[in-house]
Amino acid sequence: MIEIKPNKCDFCGCCVGVCPVDCIDLKEADIDIDYNVCIDCKLCLYICPIEVFEDVETAEI
Amino acid sequence: MWKQQKFDLIIVGGGPAGSTAARFAAIGGISVLLLEKDRDIGVPVRCGEAASDEGLRIFVDPDTRWIKSVITKLRLISPSEHTIDIDLKQKGYILDRRIFDYDLAQYAADEGAQIVCKAYVDGLLFKDGKVAGVTGEHLGERFEVESDIVIGADGVESRVGRWAGLATVVKMKDMESAIQKTIAGIEVDEHRFDFYMSREWAPGGYLWIFPKGPNAANIGLGVSGKYSRFRSAQRYLDDFLAKTFPDGSVISSTVGGVPCDKTLKKFVTDGLMLAGDSAHMVNPMTGGGIVPGMRGGMLAGETAVEAIKAGDTSEKFLNRYPKAWHKIGGKNHERFYSIKEAIFRLTDKELDSIVAAVEKISPDERSIAKVFRKAVFKKPSLVVDVMKVFAGI
Ligand SMILES: Cc1cc2nc3c(=O)[nH]c(=O)nc-3n(C[C@H](O)[C@H](O)[C@H](O)COP(=O)(O)OP(=O)(O)OC[C@H]3O[C@@H](n4cnc5c(N)ncnc54)[C@H](O)[C@@H]3O)c2cc1C
């Protein structure tokens, strides 16, 4: 599962642009993933210029 | 109060595309509401701020208040740090987009467009299957505002188009994962763009140094989404800065995605048009999206006026906008896209050999034509196009 590291995001929208299911909501300085829609494809994690996302399962191993 | 009104046109997003659309629509005499989710127009800046004089002049008279540097030459730096310097036929600028974007919004407001910040659009209204307005949130309050036409100028996120069924998602390989820092306390040539091309510095992209006066510069890079999963853009930039400008101060930093794609096949539907990054109008070779975005905005704004006057906001009518876009720039962008693909296939060794060949021409004889001839000899067809693209930025 993808999580957003607190206080790291710069709210640029790069992840939103590649998200295939439009599950990321980005207000001025407020970002949310809708887990009901997210398909865990991890493209947000792969595209983020500043490593804001974390793959939680992988991190726990 | 805008929340209770109905408008001819609602524009989502107050970047160069949205403000230019608003301005030209208002000039045409229709009622325009522009909604921007951020607190300020022009802030935060997510841009290297480079634009050509010729491109800007189509829309605005260059104003010294938003010009930080005038650029007359460019330098290409190869993987092994050989360089080619080229004089530019047309000058370029490094802008201060905080002031530039602000002014573009001001021009639109001067013509009668209404602009609202902190207005987050989160959905579209539909009537008889046609886009008919937007929903959203402003200072904690919900709003629903109707309009005959909506222009989505919502940048790289491009969600407005998706809500109306347009396929705006950017493919990973075409998304540049980009980061830039403005570094002060350094010495740079204030009249020169520097482009570093190498898989080691920025795979599937390039690294740029754009001067802001003699002692500061926007230094950034983009890495294609094809490679960014292996190493983030941030790590590439931090390495370069530690090596090249270890004593500089970071006075600003920004990140963003640049959709370096061909323009979307379909960016218009009943009651809706997209403009700028949201329609993938960036020049896919250079990543420059300011001037193309303004062009898209202008054409979309003018088309909105014609549609309102004709009383026809169907996709069929609005299609004159994509037609006009393709006539002016769309074809070029397809060519630029092929060049981009070809360049990023070059190995560092091939890039080096091209640059080394051109380097042998003495600098005072290094006209663009001569550079072409030499480069063509080394790598037919490709390099000519590259040079043309860079020279025109
Ligand atoms: C690091 C970097 C460097 C770049 N360097 C250059 C360069 O040197 N030269 C160049 O020409 N281009 C450059 N670009 C590209 C350029 O910045 C963009 O192409 C340009 O800003 C696109 O203009 P736009 O109006 O389409 O979108 P934007 O300028 O992105 O504006 C979109 C606006 O819409 C708003 N918005 C989005 N969603 C909503 C919503 N739901 N509700 C309300 N408002 C919303 C956003 O807040 C934003 O203000 C660079 C980009 C990056 C990331």
Side-chain angles (χ1 to χ4, degrees), chain A residues 10-12 14 16-17 19 22 24-28 46-47 49-51, chain B residues 37-39 46 118 120 159 162-163 170 177 225 228 232 234-235 255:
Chain A
D10 197 42
F11 315 105
C12 74
C14 190
V16 181
C19 176
D22 196 23
I24 307 171
D25 210 36
L26 181 61
K27 297 207 183 103
E28 183 172 17
Y46 297 153
I47 203 70
I50 49 174
E51 305 174 23
Chain B
K37 69 175 172 177
D38 287 345
R39 184 173 54 220
R46 302 197 183 283
K118 278 193 161 284
Y120 177 63
R159 299 181 74 198
R162 295 197 209 192
W163 297 331
V170 185
S177 176
S228 57
S232 67
Q234 177 171 39
R235 291 181 193 238
V255 295

PDB file of all heavy atoms in Angstrom, chain A residues 10-12 14 16-17 19 22 24-28 46-47 49-51, chain B residues 37-39 46 118 120 159 162-163 170 177 225 228 232 234-235 255:
ATOM      1  N   ASP A  10       5.343  18.664  -1.922  1.00  0.00           N
ATOM      2  CA  ASP A  10       5.382  20.057  -2.369  1.00  0.00           C
ATOM      3  C   ASP A  10       4.146  20.403  -3.202  1.00  0.00           C
ATOM      4  O   ASP A  10       4.043  21.483  -3.765  1.00  0.00           O
ATOM      5  CB  ASP A  10       6.668  20.286  -3.178  1.00  0.00           C
ATOM      6  CG  ASP A  10       7.009  21.761  -3.345  1.00  0.00           C
ATOM      7  OD1 ASP A  10       6.867  22.514  -2.372  1.00  0.00           O
ATOM      8  OD2 ASP A  10       7.384  22.156  -4.461  1.00  0.00           O
ATOM      9  N   PHE A  11       3.225  19.444  -3.334  1.00  0.00           N
ATOM     10  CA  PHE A  11       1.915  19.668  -3.986  1.00  0.00           C
ATOM     11  C   PHE A  11       2.037  20.070  -5.455  1.00  0.00           C
ATOM     12  O   PHE A  11       1.339  20.948  -5.928  1.00  0.00           O
ATOM     13  CB  PHE A  11       1.108  20.717  -3.194  1.00  0.00           C
ATOM     14  CG  PHE A  11       1.152  20.475  -1.712  1.00  0.00           C
ATOM     15  CD1 PHE A  11       1.927  21.265  -0.883  1.00  0.00           C
ATOM     16  CD2 PHE A  11       0.460  19.408  -1.159  1.00  0.00           C
ATOM     17  CE1 PHE A  11       2.004  21.009   0.484  1.00  0.00           C
ATOM     18  CE2 PHE A  11       0.534  19.147   0.200  1.00  0.00           C
ATOM     19  CZ  PHE A  11       1.307  19.955   1.029  1.00  0.00           C
ATOM     20  N   CYS A  12       2.951  19.396  -6.191  1.00  0.00           N
ATOM     21  CA  CYS A  12       3.204  19.812  -7.582  1.00  0.00           C
ATOM     22  C   CYS A  12       2.248  19.190  -8.578  1.00  0.00           C
ATOM     23  O   CYS A  12       2.108  19.687  -9.689  1.00  0.00           O
ATOM     24  CB  CYS A  12       4.650  19.506  -7.972  1.00  0.00           C
ATOM     25  SG  CYS A  12       4.999  17.753  -8.256  1.00  0.00           S
ATOM     26  N   CYS A  14       2.516  16.215 -10.090  1.00  0.00           N
ATOM     27  CA  CYS A  14       3.144  15.275 -11.020  1.00  0.00           C
ATOM     28  C   CYS A  14       2.506  13.889 -10.888  1.00  0.00           C
ATOM     29  O   CYS A  14       2.171  13.242 -11.884  1.00  0.00           O
ATOM     30  CB  CYS A  14       4.626  15.228 -10.671  1.00  0.00           C
ATOM     31  SG  CYS A  14       5.654  14.365 -11.814  1.00  0.00           S
ATOM     32  N   VAL A  16      -0.483  13.183  -9.792  1.00  0.00           N
ATOM     33  CA  VAL A  16      -1.881  13.236 -10.255  1.00  0.00           C
ATOM     34  C   VAL A  16      -1.917  13.036 -11.773  1.00  0.00           C
ATOM     35  O   VAL A  16      -2.778  12.337 -12.306  1.00  0.00           O
ATOM     36  CB  VAL A  16      -2.538  14.587  -9.888  1.00  0.00           C
ATOM     37  CG1 VAL A  16      -3.985  14.616 -10.340  1.00  0.00           C
ATOM     38  CG2 VAL A  16      -2.433  14.848  -8.387  1.00  0.00           C
ATOM     39  N   GLY A  17      -0.942  13.628 -12.461  1.00  0.00           N
ATOM     40  CA  GLY A  17      -0.890  13.554 -13.923  1.00  0.00           C
ATOM     41  C   GLY A  17      -0.676  12.153 -14.464  1.00  0.00           C
ATOM     42  O   GLY A  17      -1.067  11.869 -15.591  1.00  0.00           O
ATOM     43  N   CYS A  19      -1.515   9.274 -12.525  1.00  0.00           N
ATOM     44  CA  CYS A  19      -2.385   8.316 -11.839  1.00  0.00           C
ATOM     45  C   CYS A  19      -3.461   7.791 -12.808  1.00  0.00           C
ATOM     46  O   CYS A  19      -4.266   8.562 -13.313  1.00  0.00           O
ATOM     47  CB  CYS A  19      -3.055   8.957 -10.628  1.00  0.00           C
ATOM     48  SG  CYS A  19      -4.238   7.834  -9.835  1.00  0.00           S
ATOM     49  N   ASP A  22      -7.216   8.304 -11.201  1.00  0.00           N
ATOM     50  CA  ASP A  22      -7.653   9.590 -10.660  1.00  0.00           C
ATOM     51  C   ASP A  22      -8.043   9.490  -9.180  1.00  0.00           C
ATOM     52  O   ASP A  22      -9.099   9.975  -8.783  1.00  0.00           O
ATOM     53  CB  ASP A  22      -8.844  10.118 -11.488  1.00  0.00           C
ATOM     54  CG  ASP A  22      -9.100  11.609 -11.245  1.00  0.00           C
ATOM     55  OD1 ASP A  22      -8.177  12.310 -10.816  1.00  0.00           O
ATOM     56  OD2 ASP A  22     -10.242  12.065 -11.464  1.00  0.00           O
ATOM     57  N   ILE A  24      -6.030  10.594  -6.641  1.00  0.00           N
ATOM     58  CA  ILE A  24      -5.298  11.535  -5.783  1.00  0.00           C
ATOM     59  C   ILE A  24      -5.972  12.900  -5.858  1.00  0.00           C
ATOM     60  O   ILE A  24      -6.203  13.442  -6.933  1.00  0.00           O
ATOM     61  CB  ILE A  24      -3.822  11.654  -6.212  1.00  0.00           C
ATOM     62  CG1 ILE A  24      -3.174  10.271  -6.280  1.00  0.00           C
ATOM     63  CG2 ILE A  24      -3.058  12.558  -5.242  1.00  0.00           C
ATOM     64  CD1 ILE A  24      -1.795  10.258  -6.890  1.00  0.00           C
ATOM     65  N   ASP A  25      -6.284  13.421  -4.690  1.00  0.00           N
ATOM     66  CA  ASP A  25      -6.961  14.711  -4.583  1.00  0.00           C
ATOM     67  C   ASP A  25      -5.932  15.702  -4.064  1.00  0.00           C
ATOM     68  O   ASP A  25      -5.292  15.446  -3.047  1.00  0.00           O
ATOM     69  CB  ASP A  25      -8.105  14.546  -3.566  1.00  0.00           C
ATOM     70  CG  ASP A  25      -9.257  15.475  -3.887  1.00  0.00           C
ATOM     71  OD1 ASP A  25      -9.517  15.680  -5.081  1.00  0.00           O
ATOM     72  OD2 ASP A  25      -9.888  15.975  -2.942  1.00  0.00           O
ATOM     73  N   LEU A  26      -5.762  16.806  -4.773  1.00  0.00           N
ATOM     74  CA  LEU A  26      -4.698  17.735  -4.401  1.00  0.00           C
ATOM     75  C   LEU A  26      -5.229  19.159  -4.345  1.00  0.00           C
ATOM     76  O   LEU A  26      -5.478  19.792  -5.353  1.00  0.00           O
ATOM     77  CB  LEU A  26      -3.579  17.636  -5.453  1.00  0.00           C
ATOM     78  CG  LEU A  26      -2.345  18.488  -5.279  1.00  0.00           C
ATOM     79  CD1 LEU A  26      -1.625  18.161  -3.981  1.00  0.00           C
ATOM     80  CD2 LEU A  26      -1.404  18.272  -6.448  1.00  0.00           C
ATOM     81  N   LYS A  27      -5.418  19.633  -3.109  1.00  0.00           N
ATOM     82  CA  LYS A  27      -5.827  21.032  -2.955  1.00  0.00           C
ATOM     83  C   LYS A  27      -4.564  21.862  -2.823  1.00  0.00           C
ATOM     84  O   LYS A  27      -3.472  21.385  -3.100  1.00  0.00           O
ATOM     85  CB  LYS A  27      -6.711  21.167  -1.715  1.00  0.00           C
ATOM     86  CG  LYS A  27      -7.998  20.364  -1.840  1.00  0.00           C
ATOM     87  CD  LYS A  27      -9.130  20.949  -1.001  1.00  0.00           C
ATOM     88  CE  LYS A  27     -10.348  20.069  -1.126  1.00  0.00           C
ATOM     89  NZ  LYS A  27     -10.577  19.212   0.047  1.00  0.00           N
ATOM     90  N   GLU A  28      -4.698  23.085  -2.363  1.00  0.00           N
ATOM     91  CA  GLU A  28      -3.527  23.959  -2.352  1.00  0.00           C
ATOM     92  C   GLU A  28      -2.337  23.325  -1.623  1.00  0.00           C
ATOM     93  O   GLU A  28      -1.251  23.217  -2.167  1.00  0.00           O
ATOM     94  CB  GLU A  28      -3.882  25.303  -1.711  1.00  0.00           C
ATOM     95  CG  GLU A  28      -2.715  26.269  -1.753  1.00  0.00           C
ATOM     96  CD  GLU A  28      -3.089  27.667  -1.316  1.00  0.00           C
ATOM     97  OE1 GLU A  28      -4.153  27.819  -0.678  1.00  0.00           O
ATOM     98  OE2 GLU A  28      -2.339  28.596  -1.602  1.00  0.00           O
ATOM     99  N   TYR A  46       6.862   6.045  -8.282  1.00  0.00           N
ATOM    100  CA  TYR A  46       7.931   6.027  -9.281  1.00  0.00           C
ATOM    101  C   TYR A  46       8.193   7.399  -9.897  1.00  0.00           C
ATOM    102  O   TYR A  46       9.295   7.670 -10.347  1.00  0.00           O
ATOM    103  CB  TYR A  46       7.585   5.043 -10.409  1.00  0.00           C
ATOM    104  CG  TYR A  46       7.455   3.602  -9.969  1.00  0.00           C
ATOM    105  CD1 TYR A  46       6.635   2.719 -10.673  1.00  0.00           C
ATOM    106  CD2 TYR A  46       8.154   3.118  -8.858  1.00  0.00           C
ATOM    107  CE1 TYR A  46       6.517   1.389 -10.290  1.00  0.00           C
ATOM    108  CE2 TYR A  46       8.034   1.800  -8.452  1.00  0.00           C
ATOM    109  CZ  TYR A  46       7.212   0.932  -9.170  1.00  0.00           C
ATOM    110  OH  TYR A  46       7.090  -0.366  -8.788  1.00  0.00           O
ATOM    111  N   ILE A  47       7.185   8.265  -9.959  1.00  0.00           N
ATOM    112  CA  ILE A  47       7.368   9.527 -10.681  1.00  0.00           C
ATOM    113  C   ILE A  47       7.757  10.682  -9.748  1.00  0.00           C
ATOM    114  O   ILE A  47       8.345  11.670 -10.184  1.00  0.00           O
ATOM    115  CB  ILE A  47       6.095   9.906 -11.482  1.00  0.00           C
ATOM    116  CG1 ILE A  47       6.426  10.859 -12.645  1.00  0.00           C
ATOM    117  CG2 ILE A  47       5.026  10.533 -10.602  1.00  0.00           C
ATOM    118  CD1 ILE A  47       7.196  10.272 -13.766  1.00  0.00           C
ATOM    119  N   PRO A  49       9.323  13.501  -7.850  1.00  0.00           N
ATOM    120  CA  PRO A  49      10.700  14.013  -7.905  1.00  0.00           C
ATOM    121  C   PRO A  49      11.396  14.010  -6.542  1.00  0.00           C
ATOM    122  O   PRO A  49      12.623  14.008  -6.482  1.00  0.00           O
ATOM    123  CB  PRO A  49      10.543  15.458  -8.401  1.00  0.00           C
ATOM    124  CG  PRO A  49       9.167  15.553  -8.968  1.00  0.00           C
ATOM    125  CD  PRO A  49       8.335  14.534  -8.250  1.00  0.00           C
ATOM    126  N   ILE A  50      10.609  14.018  -5.444  1.00  0.00           N
ATOM    127  CA  ILE A  50      11.244  14.163  -4.134  1.00  0.00           C
ATOM    128  C   ILE A  50      10.863  13.045  -3.154  1.00  0.00           C
ATOM    129  O   ILE A  50      10.914  13.235  -1.937  1.00  0.00           O
ATOM    130  CB  ILE A  50      10.940  15.552  -3.516  1.00  0.00           C
ATOM    131  CG1 ILE A  50       9.435  15.863  -3.576  1.00  0.00           C
ATOM    132  CG2 ILE A  50      11.741  16.631  -4.196  1.00  0.00           C
ATOM    133  CD1 ILE A  50       9.042  17.146  -2.858  1.00  0.00           C
ATOM    134  N   GLU A  51      10.488  11.905  -3.670  1.00  0.00           N
ATOM    135  CA  GLU A  51      10.297  10.704  -2.845  1.00  0.00           C
ATOM    136  C   GLU A  51       9.319  10.912  -1.686  1.00  0.00           C
ATOM    137  O   GLU A  51       9.611  10.594  -0.542  1.00  0.00           O
ATOM    138  CB  GLU A  51      11.662  10.215  -2.324  1.00  0.00           C
ATOM    139  CG  GLU A  51      12.654   9.971  -3.444  1.00  0.00           C
ATOM    140  CD  GLU A  51      14.061   9.615  -2.961  1.00  0.00           C
ATOM    141  OE1 GLU A  51      14.208   9.143  -1.826  1.00  0.00           O
ATOM    142  OE2 GLU A  51      15.001   9.829  -3.750  1.00  0.00           O
TER     143      GLU A  51
ATOM    144  N   LYS B  37      -7.085  27.410  -7.623  1.00  0.00           N
ATOM    145  CA  LYS B  37      -7.145  26.806  -6.288  1.00  0.00           C
ATOM    146  C   LYS B  37      -6.129  27.395  -5.305  1.00  0.00           C
ATOM    147  O   LYS B  37      -6.324  27.353  -4.098  1.00  0.00           O
ATOM    148  CB  LYS B  37      -6.979  25.292  -6.383  1.00  0.00           C
ATOM    149  CG  LYS B  37      -5.602  24.821  -6.806  1.00  0.00           C
ATOM    150  CD  LYS B  37      -5.527  23.296  -6.745  1.00  0.00           C
ATOM    151  CE  LYS B  37      -4.230  22.783  -7.348  1.00  0.00           C
ATOM    152  NZ  LYS B  37      -4.092  21.338  -7.248  1.00  0.00           N
ATOM    153  N   ASP B  38      -5.016  27.920  -5.832  1.00  0.00           N
ATOM    154  CA  ASP B  38      -3.989  28.436  -4.928  1.00  0.00           C
ATOM    155  C   ASP B  38      -4.350  29.822  -4.407  1.00  0.00           C
ATOM    156  O   ASP B  38      -5.211  30.503  -4.946  1.00  0.00           O
ATOM    157  CB  ASP B  38      -2.627  28.478  -5.626  1.00  0.00           C
ATOM    158  CG  ASP B  38      -2.032  27.084  -5.800  1.00  0.00           C
ATOM    159  OD1 ASP B  38      -2.516  26.141  -5.138  1.00  0.00           O
ATOM    160  OD2 ASP B  38      -1.091  26.947  -6.593  1.00  0.00           O
ATOM    161  N   ARG B  39      -3.605  30.223  -3.380  1.00  0.00           N
ATOM    162  CA  ARG B  39      -3.871  31.502  -2.719  1.00  0.00           C
ATOM    163  C   ARG B  39      -3.511  32.676  -3.617  1.00  0.00           C
ATOM    164  O   ARG B  39      -4.135  33.714  -3.605  1.00  0.00           O
ATOM    165  CB  ARG B  39      -3.026  31.530  -1.447  1.00  0.00           C
ATOM    166  CG  ARG B  39      -3.200  32.692  -0.553  1.00  0.00           C
ATOM    167  CD  ARG B  39      -2.418  32.464   0.730  1.00  0.00           C
ATOM    168  NE  ARG B  39      -1.018  32.159   0.432  1.00  0.00           N
ATOM    169  CZ  ARG B  39      -0.296  31.248   1.060  1.00  0.00           C
ATOM    170  NH1 ARG B  39      -0.803  30.534   2.018  1.00  0.00           N
ATOM    171  NH2 ARG B  39       0.959  31.041   0.733  1.00  0.00           N
ATOM    172  N   ARG B  46       6.520  26.887 -10.703  1.00  0.00           N
ATOM    173  CA  ARG B  46       7.027  25.547 -11.002  1.00  0.00           C
ATOM    174  C   ARG B  46       7.597  25.568 -12.402  1.00  0.00           C
ATOM    175  O   ARG B  46       7.030  25.003 -13.323  1.00  0.00           O
ATOM    176  CB  ARG B  46       5.901  24.519 -10.920  1.00  0.00           C
ATOM    177  CG  ARG B  46       5.217  24.491  -9.565  1.00  0.00           C
ATOM    178  CD  ARG B  46       4.412  23.237  -9.361  1.00  0.00           C
ATOM    179  NE  ARG B  46       3.716  23.278  -8.091  1.00  0.00           N
ATOM    180  CZ  ARG B  46       4.276  23.066  -6.899  1.00  0.00           C
ATOM    181  NH1 ARG B  46       5.575  22.780  -6.830  1.00  0.00           N
ATOM    182  NH2 ARG B  46       3.579  23.125  -5.791  1.00  0.00           N
ATOM    183  N   LYS B 118      -8.139  30.584  -4.349  1.00  0.00           N
ATOM    184  CA  LYS B 118      -8.578  29.676  -3.283  1.00  0.00           C
ATOM    185  C   LYS B 118      -9.914  29.018  -3.628  1.00  0.00           C
ATOM    186  O   LYS B 118     -10.714  28.699  -2.748  1.00  0.00           O
ATOM    187  CB  LYS B 118      -8.674  30.405  -1.936  1.00  0.00           C
ATOM    188  CG  LYS B 118      -7.308  30.518  -1.259  1.00  0.00           C
ATOM    189  CD  LYS B 118      -7.445  30.934   0.177  1.00  0.00           C
ATOM    190  CE  LYS B 118      -6.224  30.619   1.002  1.00  0.00           C
ATOM    191  NZ  LYS B 118      -6.084  29.215   1.361  1.00  0.00           N
ATOM    192  N   TYR B 120     -11.237  25.808  -5.305  1.00  0.00           N
ATOM    193  CA  TYR B 120     -10.830  24.477  -5.759  1.00  0.00           C
ATOM    194  C   TYR B 120     -11.985  23.812  -6.487  1.00  0.00           C
ATOM    195  O   TYR B 120     -13.048  23.596  -5.919  1.00  0.00           O
ATOM    196  CB  TYR B 120     -10.420  23.651  -4.536  1.00  0.00           C
ATOM    197  CG  TYR B 120     -10.046  22.226  -4.850  1.00  0.00           C
ATOM    198  CD1 TYR B 120      -8.951  21.937  -5.662  1.00  0.00           C
ATOM    199  CD2 TYR B 120     -10.782  21.155  -4.334  1.00  0.00           C
ATOM    200  CE1 TYR B 120      -8.600  20.635  -5.953  1.00  0.00           C
ATOM    201  CE2 TYR B 120     -10.425  19.845  -4.613  1.00  0.00           C
ATOM    202  CZ  TYR B 120      -9.338  19.593  -5.426  1.00  0.00           C
ATOM    203  OH  TYR B 120      -8.983  18.304  -5.713  1.00  0.00           O
ATOM    204  N   ARG B 159      -7.342  17.107 -14.488  1.00  0.00           N
ATOM    205  CA  ARG B 159      -8.462  16.271 -14.038  1.00  0.00           C
ATOM    206  C   ARG B 159      -9.790  16.711 -14.657  1.00  0.00           C
ATOM    207  O   ARG B 159     -10.690  15.888 -14.832  1.00  0.00           O
ATOM    208  CB  ARG B 159      -8.559  16.327 -12.510  1.00  0.00           C
ATOM    209  CG  ARG B 159      -7.306  15.790 -11.843  1.00  0.00           C
ATOM    210  CD  ARG B 159      -7.419  15.833 -10.339  1.00  0.00           C
ATOM    211  NE  ARG B 159      -8.302  14.798  -9.833  1.00  0.00           N
ATOM    212  CZ  ARG B 159      -8.840  14.817  -8.610  1.00  0.00           C
ATOM    213  NH1 ARG B 159      -8.612  15.846  -7.811  1.00  0.00           N
ATOM    214  NH2 ARG B 159      -9.613  13.841  -8.200  1.00  0.00           N
ATOM    215  N   ARG B 162     -10.564  14.661 -17.581  1.00  0.00           N
ATOM    216  CA  ARG B 162     -10.938  13.281 -17.223  1.00  0.00           C
ATOM    217  C   ARG B 162     -12.387  13.198 -16.781  1.00  0.00           C
ATOM    218  O   ARG B 162     -13.074  12.227 -17.069  1.00  0.00           O
ATOM    219  CB  ARG B 162     -10.101  12.795 -16.052  1.00  0.00           C
ATOM    220  CG  ARG B 162      -8.645  12.658 -16.341  1.00  0.00           C
ATOM    221  CD  ARG B 162      -8.108  11.785 -15.249  1.00  0.00           C
ATOM    222  NE  ARG B 162      -6.716  12.085 -14.981  1.00  0.00           N
ATOM    223  CZ  ARG B 162      -5.966  11.298 -14.226  1.00  0.00           C
ATOM    224  NH1 ARG B 162      -6.466  10.213 -13.671  1.00  0.00           N
ATOM    225  NH2 ARG B 162      -4.716  11.599 -14.024  1.00  0.00           N
ATOM    226  N   TRP B 163     -12.806  14.215 -16.033  1.00  0.00           N
ATOM    227  CA  TRP B 163     -14.187  14.199 -15.532  1.00  0.00           C
ATOM    228  C   TRP B 163     -15.185  14.232 -16.688  1.00  0.00           C
ATOM    229  O   TRP B 163     -16.339  13.868 -16.522  1.00  0.00           O
ATOM    230  CB  TRP B 163     -14.430  15.373 -14.571  1.00  0.00           C
ATOM    231  CG  TRP B 163     -13.573  15.317 -13.333  1.00  0.00           C
ATOM    232  CD1 TRP B 163     -13.083  14.189 -12.727  1.00  0.00           C
ATOM    233  CD2 TRP B 163     -13.087  16.428 -12.565  1.00  0.00           C
ATOM    234  NE1 TRP B 163     -12.327  14.528 -11.632  1.00  0.00           N
ATOM    235  CE2 TRP B 163     -12.315  15.900 -11.502  1.00  0.00           C
ATOM    236  CE3 TRP B 163     -13.223  17.812 -12.654  1.00  0.00           C
ATOM    237  CZ2 TRP B 163     -11.680  16.701 -10.554  1.00  0.00           C
ATOM    238  CZ3 TRP B 163     -12.599  18.622 -11.701  1.00  0.00           C
ATOM    239  CH2 TRP B 163     -11.838  18.061 -10.667  1.00  0.00           C
ATOM    240  N   VAL B 170      -0.927  11.134 -18.408  1.00  0.00           N
ATOM    241  CA  VAL B 170       0.365  11.185 -19.096  1.00  0.00           C
ATOM    242  C   VAL B 170       1.073   9.838 -18.931  1.00  0.00           C
ATOM    243  O   VAL B 170       1.164   9.319 -17.819  1.00  0.00           O
ATOM    244  CB  VAL B 170       1.258  12.311 -18.513  1.00  0.00           C
ATOM    245  CG1 VAL B 170       2.549  12.428 -19.312  1.00  0.00           C
ATOM    246  CG2 VAL B 170       0.508  13.641 -18.495  1.00  0.00           C
ATOM    247  N   SER B 177       9.925  13.982 -14.590  1.00  0.00           N
ATOM    248  CA  SER B 177       9.905  14.216 -13.159  1.00  0.00           C
ATOM    249  C   SER B 177      10.973  15.269 -12.895  1.00  0.00           C
ATOM    250  O   SER B 177      12.160  15.011 -13.059  1.00  0.00           O
ATOM    251  CB  SER B 177      10.234  12.890 -12.465  1.00  0.00           C
ATOM    252  OG  SER B 177      10.326  13.062 -11.086  1.00  0.00           O
ATOM    253  N   GLY B 225       9.974   9.535 -16.687  1.00  0.00           N
ATOM    254  CA  GLY B 225       9.330   8.564 -15.804  1.00  0.00           C
ATOM    255  C   GLY B 225       9.747   7.129 -16.094  1.00  0.00           C
ATOM    256  O   GLY B 225       9.509   6.231 -15.291  1.00  0.00           O
ATOM    257  N   SER B 228      12.806   7.415 -13.590  1.00  0.00           N
ATOM    258  CA  SER B 228      12.753   8.054 -12.269  1.00  0.00           C
ATOM    259  C   SER B 228      12.515   7.042 -11.149  1.00  0.00           C
ATOM    260  O   SER B 228      12.805   7.314  -9.988  1.00  0.00           O
ATOM    261  CB  SER B 228      11.668   9.136 -12.241  1.00  0.00           C
ATOM    262  OG  SER B 228      10.413   8.584 -12.576  1.00  0.00           O
ATOM    263  N   SER B 232      15.581   9.125  -7.968  1.00  0.00           N
ATOM    264  CA  SER B 232      14.695  10.282  -8.086  1.00  0.00           C
ATOM    265  C   SER B 232      15.432  11.503  -8.634  1.00  0.00           C
ATOM    266  O   SER B 232      16.651  11.645  -8.502  1.00  0.00           O
ATOM    267  CB  SER B 232      14.092  10.622  -6.724  1.00  0.00           C
ATOM    268  OG  SER B 232      15.100  11.081  -5.867  1.00  0.00           O
ATOM    269  N   GLN B 234      15.477  14.406  -7.513  1.00  0.00           N
ATOM    270  CA  GLN B 234      16.149  15.118  -6.421  1.00  0.00           C
ATOM    271  C   GLN B 234      17.600  14.648  -6.219  1.00  0.00           C
ATOM    272  O   GLN B 234      18.506  15.441  -6.043  1.00  0.00           O
ATOM    273  CB  GLN B 234      15.361  14.861  -5.144  1.00  0.00           C
ATOM    274  CG  GLN B 234      15.974  15.465  -3.916  1.00  0.00           C
ATOM    275  CD  GLN B 234      15.008  15.358  -2.731  1.00  0.00           C
ATOM    276  OE1 GLN B 234      14.327  14.350  -2.561  1.00  0.00           O
ATOM    277  NE2 GLN B 234      14.936  16.388  -1.952  1.00  0.00           N
ATOM    278  N   ARG B 235      17.784  13.324  -6.281  1.00  0.00           N
ATOM    279  CA  ARG B 235      19.141  12.797  -6.056  1.00  0.00           C
ATOM    280  C   ARG B 235      20.087  13.226  -7.164  1.00  0.00           C
ATOM    281  O   ARG B 235      21.252  13.554  -6.919  1.00  0.00           O
ATOM    282  CB  ARG B 235      19.113  11.276  -5.936  1.00  0.00           C
ATOM    283  CG  ARG B 235      18.418  10.863  -4.658  1.00  0.00           C
ATOM    284  CD  ARG B 235      18.388   9.366  -4.468  1.00  0.00           C
ATOM    285  NE  ARG B 235      17.449   9.075  -3.408  1.00  0.00           N
ATOM    286  CZ  ARG B 235      17.775   8.422  -2.284  1.00  0.00           C
ATOM    287  NH1 ARG B 235      18.984   7.972  -2.120  1.00  0.00           N
ATOM    288  NH2 ARG B 235      16.863   8.226  -1.364  1.00  0.00           N
ATOM    289  N   VAL B 255       9.406  21.702  -7.532  1.00  0.00           N
ATOM    290  CA  VAL B 255       9.342  20.443  -8.257  1.00  0.00           C
ATOM    291  C   VAL B 255       8.116  20.477  -9.156  1.00  0.00           C
ATOM    292  O   VAL B 255       7.274  21.373  -9.061  1.00  0.00           O
ATOM    293  CB  VAL B 255       9.263  19.226  -7.309  1.00  0.00           C
ATOM    294  CG1 VAL B 255      10.519  19.108  -6.495  1.00  0.00           C
ATOM    295  CG2 VAL B 255       8.041  19.301  -6.400  1.00  0.00           C
TER     296      VAL B 255
END
